[in-house]
Amino acid sequence: MKVWTIPNILTIIRIALIPIFVIFFYTPFNDHYWVAMGIFIAAALTDWLDGFLARYLKQTSRFGAFLDPVADKLIVLSALLLCATKFSGPLFAVPAIVMLCREIIISALREWMAEVGKRAKIGVNIIGKFKTFLQMVALCFFISQPSGYSPLAITGYIIFYVAAFL
């Protein structure tokens, strides 16, 4: 099994970006939230790119199939936790908890289905991909804003609720 493929390296980079993202999120300088958002976007783009390259270069692997969703959850959950420190209250907490619970349930369901030999029955579908896209877009709005009352943050809330519904 070849672990050091370009797609797997991109996935590892996505995980490595998490502490850098956190540092810029909390380091107070002009536009630090925008820099943090840029790092988050870079991580989100590696999610798309590693999947595309794995298929295009025919470098899919069991390790990549395992690590990619883990990296996705790590970056999204990190962003959710950071944004929860800025946007405290039920307006943010309710959809965030729905999303966290969904991720745990889906992960547990995939694990259980793997145990009974039916892992392929729980593949990613287009609704899940769209939910992830909306979730990341909403998080970009939240990351970039110093408070929850700007027009961009309000747009983020709308998108966030749609993602939570999906």
Side-chain angles (χ1 to χ4, degrees):
M1 170 176 72
K2 190 172 180 185
V3 173
W4 295 107
T5 63
I6 294 170
N8 288 349
I9 292 168
L10 287 171
T11 300
I12 292 166
I13 288 170
R14 184 161 65 251
I15 294 169
L17 285 173
I18 293 170
I20 298 165
F21 165 58
V22 173
I23 289 167
F24 278 98
F25 186 88
Y26 282 118
T27 303
F29 63 89
N30 287 343
D31 298 328
H32 71 104
Y33 288 135
W34 289 94
V35 173
M37 184 189 71
I39 294 167
F40 181 78
I41 289 171
L45 290 175
T46 67
D47 179 28
W48 172 82
L49 185 60
D50 67 22
F52 171 79
L53 289 175
R55 289 183 296 278
Y56 182 76
L57 300 173
K58 297 180 180 25
Q59 292 183 340
T60 57
S61 67
R62 294 178 94 182
F63 178 71
F66 158 75
L67 193 60
D68 183 65
V70 170
D72 296 346
K73 285 172 184 38
L74 290 174
I75 191 71
V76 168
L77 296 179
S78 297
L80 280 171
L81 286 172
L82 293 178
C83 290
T85 65
K86 271 200 302 188
F87 303 100
S88 63
L91 192 60
F92 185 87
V94 170
I97 289 170
V98 166
M99 290 175 186
L100 289 168
C101 291
R102 179 208 174 271
E103 295 302 332
I104 292 168
I105 290 167
I106 294 296
S107 295
L109 184 58
R110 285 188 176 136
E111 181 69 27
W112 180 65
M113 293 300 277
E115 285 284 323
V116 296
K118 308 252 185 201
R119 172 74 167 94
K121 300 235 183 219
I122 307 265
V124 177
N125 65 27
I126 192 70
I127 294 172
K129 287 182 180 280
F130 187 60
K131 182 269 313 169
T132 300
F133 171 76
L134 289 179
Q135 195 175 36
M136 289 189 173
V137 169
L139 287 169
C140 284
F141 283 110
F142 291 134
I143 292 164
S144 69
Q145 297 306 295
S147 76
Y149 302 106
S150 70
L152 286 178
I154 292 167
T155 303
Y157 276 113
I158 294 166
I159 297 168
F160 200 49
Y161 272 82
V162 172
F165 176 77
L166 291 175

